[in-house]
Amino acid sequence: MGKPSQEQFEKDVSAHEMTIHAHNGIHRHLTFRASGTFAYGFHITTWPGYLAFSGDMGTFVFSRIPDMFEFFRDRDINPGYWAEKLTAHDRHGGHREFDHDLYVECLKRDFEDWHFDSEGDRRKAWAEIKDEWSGILHASTLEEAIRYALDWKCPVSGQEFTDFWDHTLEDYTYRFIWCCRAIIWAIKRYDAAMSTANDNTPVAANAA
């Protein structure tokens, strides 16, 4: 699955409204959801040193500075740096996952470095990988991918993927990227609405 673009994210939350349950200094509890459904709905809760995102797209808890709105405010998403600030995440899926496209790219890159006596041998070897050993291109987990690659020996040249452990075969999950976009988006809506919002009063989340 590809990662959610800003355009896709904004489509997901286009009907969301914001409810401010609490805003006492850096103690905050906000809910963003469309009326009548919690599809793509989420809560943001802050307390000294922490920000918790929870809802339909998972749960992630970040910690860095006393007011975590200051940490995220007026920034572009930075998944790599923000992941370092995670203290907890959803039990149904974390912030990183096996990426099959990265796996295939690494296989191809290593394969291109192999020496063959002829281009015919090279084509034959790649055909072996694609057609005769389907597992190497259809691994569905990180463990399978590494095991398949390390166990395979090219029947044409005898070469192996000996250093495959060195590759990074994981990328950030769809839900984590979505969460990162949601935090930035939600803080902007909160900041814009605070001058008129009252506790427990729904405010249009996409209001300027």
Side-chain angles (χ1 to χ4, degrees), residues 85-106:
K85 312 311 173 190
L86 281 172
T87 61
H89 56 66
D90 199 296
R91 66 187 177 93
H92 296 298
H95 66 290
R96 291 179 67 83
E97 64 186 352
F98 171 64
D99 189 303
H100 187 270
D101 290 339
L102 280 177
Y103 171 53
V104 173
E105 287 176 13
C106 291

Side-chain angles (χ1 to χ4, degrees), residues 23-137:
H23 58 104
N24 180 16
I26 59 178
H27 294 267
R28 309 177 184 91
H29 177 198
L30 315 176
T31 298
F32 295 83
R33 61 181 297 183
S35 178
T37 178
F38 202 68
Y40 297 110
F42 61 93
H43 306 280
I44 289 184
T45 309
T46 62
W47 63 100
Y50 292 88
L51 180 148
F53 172 99
S54 59
D56 196 38
M57 294 298 280
T59 300
F60 301 92
V61 181
F62 302 85
S63 180
R64 176 62 176 87
I65 61 175
D67 184 358
M68 288 298 290
F69 270 25
E70 290 296 328
F71 177 76
F72 290 109
R73 183 178 277 123
D74 298 325
R75 296 178 182 271
D76 294 324
I77 66 168
N78 190 343
Y81 180 56
W82 293 358
E84 296 174 0
K85 312 311 173 190
L86 281 172
T87 61
H89 56 66
D90 199 296
R91 66 187 177 93
H92 296 298
H95 66 290
R96 291 179 67 83
E97 64 186 352
F98 171 64
D99 189 303
H100 187 270
D101 290 339
L102 280 177
Y103 171 53
V104 173
E105 287 176 13
C106 291
L107 285 172
K108 289 181 177 179
R109 189 160 59 246
D110 282 7
F111 179 81
E112 288 171 358
D113 290 337
W114 287 2
H115 173 74
F116 292 92
D117 292 335
S118 69
E119 283 303 308
D121 284 349
R122 180 178 293 277
R123 287 193 296 270
K124 183 178 178 181
W126 186 246
E128 291 281 347
I129 294 176
K130 290 199 300 181
D131 301 328
E132 296 188 23
W133 184 41
S134 61
I136 197 170
L137 290 179

